[in-house]
Amino acid sequence: MGAIPNPSEWLLISDVEYDRDAGQVDADTLYSNMKSMLVCPHCGRLLVYWQGFGEKYTAYRLEE
Ligand SMILES: [Zn+2]
């Protein structure tokens, strides 16, 4: 993955999950509920690891 923190990596959390964690400030718990999204610096494709890094990602390509 290269650099940590990785400048191409974004962390996603659903509104529902965020609401569940909103009362606490535990960064590890919050982190564990977030999904990783990588932005390709070349083509702008988004790779989202909905099931975690051990599983396949879903790729989203820019519209023409
Ligand atoms: Zn690319």
Side-chain angles (χ1 to χ4, degrees):
M1 271 304 113
I4 298 176
N6 183 338
S8 297
E9 181 175 354
W10 295 73
L11 298 169
L12 308 176
I13 189 165
S14 74
D15 200 28
V16 170
E17 291 281 350
Y18 183 78
D19 256 21
R20 190 175 300 157
D21 293 338
Q24 56 180 305
V25 292
D26 184 65
D28 289 337
T29 302
L30 191 60
Y31 187 83
S32 71
N33 286 325
M34 293 192 287
K35 311 298 184 190
S36 292
M37 178 180 81
L38 299 180
V39 182
C40 177
H42 307 292
C43 64
R45 242 176 1 149
L46 304 178
L47 310 181
V48 182
Y49 289 81
W50 293 117
Q51 317 298 333
F53 263 128
E55 306 295 327
K56 282 191 66 176
Y57 57 76
T58 302
Y60 301 86
R61 192 169 53 194
L62 287 177
E63 289 186 308
E64 297 298 323

